[in-house]
Each structure stands twice: as C-alpha cells, then as structure tokens.
Amino acid sequence: MQDVVLALLAKEPSHGYELRARLQTALGPLGDELNAGQVYVTLRRLEKAGLVDVRVVGQSDRPDRKVYDLTPAGRDRAAAWLTDLSWERTAPTEFHLKLTAAAASGMADPVALVDAQRRALLRRLAEVRRAAFDQPPGSAAALLLEGASLRLEADLRWLESCAAHWNNRTDEE
Amino acid sequence: MEHVLRAEGLRRHFGSGPSLVRAVDDVDLAVAPGETVGIIGPSGCGKSTLLHLLGGLDRPDGGRVLLHGRRLDGLSETAAARVRRTAIGFVFQAFHLVDELTARENVELPALLAGASPREARRRAEHLLGRVGLADRAGHLPGMLSGGQRQRVAVARALVNDPPLLLADEPTGNLDSAAATEVLRLLAELRREGRALVVVTHDPRIAGAADRVVTMRDGALVDETVLV
Ligand SMILES: Nc1ncnc2c1ncn2[C@@H]1O[C@H](COP(=O)(O)OP(=O)(O)OP(=O)(O)O)[C@@H](O)[C@H]1O
Ligand SMILES: [Mg+2]
C-alpha cells in the first residue's frame, strides 16, 4: 500500500481523496474495501518516514486541504519498487497496481515491466518443469512441482493480457 | 556455426493505405542446430505469417530466409516445395490431415511425394506411428481419432522425411490439457534427439520447455528470454 501510494504521487502532488479515487479506478470492485481512512493512515506513515511532504493549501470557500508530494527519498523508493520484480510477494493486485502507477507516473514503461516479468517467470517455469521431470511420477515432490508449475502458467497467461492492455494504451496516446 | 534457419529483415505487409497491416516487420531470427525457439505474442501480432515465411509457404515482401545457408525465398514454387518436403516438417493447430486417408497413409504421403518407395514409406510410417504411441490406430481414419491422437499423427507425418527442422503453429491450440501433455512430451523428445524446432504457442508449458522464447508484437520481435 505504501509503495503504491508513493508511485501514484510520482506523477504529481495530490490530495488524499484524489489518491483514493485513482486507486479505486485501478482496482475496480476489488477496491471497494479500500476506505478513506486507510489512505490517510498510509499517508501519515509516509510523512513520518520522511517519504512525503505535506503542504496545507488554503481554499476560500472550503476548509483547507492537505496536498501531498514526494520527497527525494520517496521518489527513490517509488522507483525501486516499480523495478523490483520479485514475484513471490507480488500478488496479482500488487503487480496490477505497479503497472497502473508506472503508467500514471511515467516513471517506467508498463509494457517493459511486463516483458521483464515474463522473462523472470519463464525462467522459473523452465526450472520447475526441469525439476519435475527428474521426479518419479506420483511422488509428493512431483505433486508440489505440478502446483508450482500451474501457478506460473496461470501467471504467464495473465501477463499476456496485461501486455495487450498496456500496449493498446500506449498506442492510443 | 551454420544456422539451420536464418531470417534477415523479413517483411510481409497486407493491404495498403489506411488498411495496411504490417504482419511481419523487419524480423531477424536465427535458429541453431538442435535449438528449440518458442514464439509467443498476442493474437494477430503476426506469428503464423512469420512461420509461413520461415517455411517458404509464403513469400516475403522484403528480406530473406536461409535454410542451411541457402536462400529459400528466391526459389521457384516447385523447388521450394521440394525443399519443404525434405528439409522442414510442419505441424499446424488444425492438424491438416487428409480425412479420406488412414493415419498410416497420411504419414506415408510426404515420403511418397519425396520419392520414397511404397515399401520404404510404409516402413517409416509404421515406425513413426509406433513412436507416437499410435501403432494400433494406423488403419483408422482421422475422423475416428481424438484430437490429441490426430495431432500425434500430424507430428509423425512431419517427421517422415526426417527433417532437421520442425515448424509448429500452436500444436496444442486445439487440445485439452491431457492431450496437450502428450504432444508436449513428444516435442521434448524431438528436442532431445537434436532436431531444431520453432514453435508458435500460447501454451506457457511449451514456451517454458524451449531453449529460447521470443515475444512478438505488432509484427516485430520485441523481447527475448534465454532459458538454458
Ligand atoms: N492473407 C492475408 N491477407 C490480409 N491480412 C492478413 C493475411 N494473413 C494475415 N493477415 C493479417 O496479418 C496480421 C497477422 O496475422 P497472423 O495470422 O500472422 O497472426 P497470429 O499472430 O498468428 O494470430 P493468432 O494468435 O490469432 O493465430 C493480422 O492482422 C491478420 O489479419
Ligand atoms: Mg496464428
């Protein structure tokens, strides 16, 4: 969550409610559980950690608003997160948000991230299948490797949908 | 080292003006002896068109194809057909078997066309059908075989002239998971015996079993993963 918020801020300074709206657009129904409180808690933590700056902007007709912006340290961390492609921790949601944030911020090309991820997953799949080949069929190890293989296959198929989606987006621009 | 197959600046465009499709756009690809190359990419990106150009089934608008160092694209249609029969085996998603011929006769056909005697063609067909696990189905018509069995007949047919290079276009595209596994196993065997293989596929398992996977997008090869 912290990383996603940082990466979304990389595009331009934002209000908390704008950030929440962008997250909800990116997540669709999965984002319904996201309440405003979570975004603000995250922003406060990031502020304490010195990763975002807060400016209070006065408004004539409404109460003052806080505008959040990245500090240099925050920008470094957002860039590191975008290019970190370790898949183990990266549930589809996180990778999806990474691509969204990459496109919004312009800090990375989502299609290039998909390509890099595909290379990593294909290598892992090749390893898993080679390992599976060495196991006697019906063994416990073979069963586990089959599970690992099926997950990687599903992830790779989904990556192709990501590639198509973001490739079309970049073409339209 | 001499490549089994080499494409240089390969180009194939369809239509013109606003309806111009750059199906294959400046593609370079070299396949080493015994190498398995997977080609992946979204529907319509030009994979089948590329494979047809590589196998001389279609002529490029630009660039060239070298088979064992010899140009394939400049040959006359008859000469190209001769090279295709002996130097390249094709496997297609839709099997492309002759419905009126038995499995054995389907496999024999390219051998006979290449000048083998009927006895020799029969011997090779029996041997290959055994190899793909279909010895007991040799007399069946394709309509009596399952999809997986038909595709294995198609692989046997592709091998009957012992080509050093096999081109396959989504060989598991029409198969359920179990039948796909059989074909996958067969392809792995061909790889181990040192045949070069170019496989267009949407199946991550086939891609994961290749030596190298190239990603195609809008007619161009845009990414590569080396797996060994
Ligand atoms: N004979 C043809 N005439 C006109 N356009 C063609 C012809 N053959 C292919 N195309 C176009 O060229 C592009 C590439 O087609 P191709 O069949 O090579 O794609 P593909 O990557 O194999 O797709 P799929 O994964 O769906 O099989 C497509 O836009 C297709 O419409
Ligand atoms: Mg195709």
Side-chain angles (χ1 to χ4, degrees):
Chain A
M1 183 72 170
Q2 294 198 2
D3 293 306
V4 180
V5 168
L6 282 176
L8 286 174
L9 278 174
K11 185 188 180 195
E12 57 194 5
S14 297
H15 303 299
Y17 72 88
E18 283 171 353
L19 284 172
R20 186 179 163 226
R22 278 205 236 159
L23 278 167
Q24 279 176 326
T25 312
L27 291 171
L30 287 178
D32 287 350
E33 299 151 34
L34 200 71
N35 60 50
Q38 277 173 285
V39 175
Y40 286 105
V41 167
T42 303
L43 282 167
R44 254 198 310 281
R45 286 200 188 123
L46 290 170
E47 188 190 341
K48 260 195 214 143
L51 299 169
V52 302
D53 273 336
V54 188
R55 225 166 2 110
V56 177
V57 179
Q59 301 191 120
S60 52
D61 53 340
R62 277 176 286 176
D64 292 352
R65 281 258 165 74
K66 285 181 173 176
V67 174
Y68 297 86
D69 195 2
L70 289 183
T71 65
R75 184 164 293 273
D76 287 349
R77 175 150 154 202
W81 177 68
L82 281 175
T83 46
D84 170 24
L85 296 171
S86 47
W87 189 259
E88 232 78 70
R89 301 181 285 110
T90 313
T93 308
E94 189 186 342
F95 190 68
H96 176 71
L97 287 171
K98 196 174 278 200
L99 298 180
T100 308
S105 66
M107 287 174 84
D109 172 9
V111 178
L113 292 181
V114 171
D115 285 344
Q117 192 65 263
R118 182 194 306 108
R119 290 194 291 271
L121 292 191
L122 273 173
R123 287 201 192 97
R124 185 115 23 113
L125 178 63
E127 278 166 26
V128 165
R129 296 194 65 82
R130 273 197 289 269
F133 205 80
D134 295 335
Q135 300 303 318
S139 68
L143 181 64
L144 173 59
L145 287 165
E146 185 192 342
S149 173
L150 284 168
R151 269 216 51 184
L152 287 164
E153 290 164 36
D155 289 341
L156 278 160
R157 287 182 194 276
W158 178 67
L159 267 189
E160 292 320 309
S161 305
C162 293
H165 177 87
W166 291 107
N167 193 43
N168 291 341
R169 285 299 162 91
T170 12
D171 284 352
E172 279 162 20
E173 275 160 21
Chain B
M1 175 195 53
E2 180 168 285
H3 288 104
V4 177
L5 183 70
R6 238 173 113 92
E8 292 169 354
L10 216 52
R11 198 155 43 76
R12 182 76 169 103
H13 294 178
F14 296 111
S16 61
S19 64
L20 176 73
V21 177
R22 295 184 164 86
V24 171
D25 210 21
D26 197 15
V27 164
D28 295 325
L29 183 71
V31 182
E35 187 183 29
T36 296
V37 179
I39 301 179
I40 62 174
S43 183
C45 72
K47 304 180 297 295
S48 295
T49 307
L50 174 60
L51 204 72
H52 287 148
L53 294 174
L54 292 177
L57 294 172
D58 186 15
R59 281 159 189 274
D61 299 319
R64 51 190 207 149
V65 179
L66 301 163
L67 195 66
H68 304 284
R70 286 179 44 213
R71 277 191 81 152
L72 185 61
D73 51 286
L75 297 180
S76 72
E77 184 42 45
T78 15
R82 190 168 339 112
V83 172
R84 279 201 303 269
R85 273 199 300 272
T86 53
I88 309 175
F90 291 94
V91 179
F92 300 96
Q93 175 175 0
F95 322 135
H96 289 339
L97 297 173
V98 182
D99 289 335
E100 293 75 20
L101 300 181
T102 63
R104 184 194 295 114
E105 289 163 342
N106 265 286
V107 178
E108 286 170 0
L109 194 57
L112 295 170
L113 289 173
S117 71
R119 260 187 68 186
E120 171 62 12
R122 173 62 48 103
R123 193 191 61 76
R124 287 192 223 161
E126 301 275 354
H127 168 74
L128 284 166
L129 283 171
R131 214 189 128 179
V132 301
L134 293 173
D136 55 340
R137 298 286 192 284
H140 286 49
L141 294 173
M144 302 156 71
L145 300 172
S146 73
Q149 292 169 337
R150 270 183 253 181
Q151 193 58 299
R152 283 185 281 151
V153 173
V155 172
R157 180 187 55 184
L159 294 174
V160 77
N161 289 322
D162 198 23
L165 170 69
L166 213 69
L167 303 179
D169 195 351
E170 302 195 30
T172 60
N174 272 333
L175 305 179
D176 66 25
S177 165
T181 303
E182 292 167 6
V183 171
L184 195 72
R185 202 171 289 144
L186 197 54
L187 294 180
E189 240 179 83
L190 299 181
R191 172 168 175 260
R192 275 197 301 282
E193 71 186 32
R195 239 176 267 268
L197 215 62
V198 179
V199 194
V200 167
T201 187
H202 287 290
D203 188 336
R205 292 183 300 172
I206 292 196
D211 298 310
R212 186 154 62 95
V213 177
V214 292
T215 302
M216 196 165 182
R217 209 145 48 216
D218 302 330
L221 301 185
V222 294
D223 199 43
E224 177 181 77
T225 312
V226 176
L227 292 176
V228 287

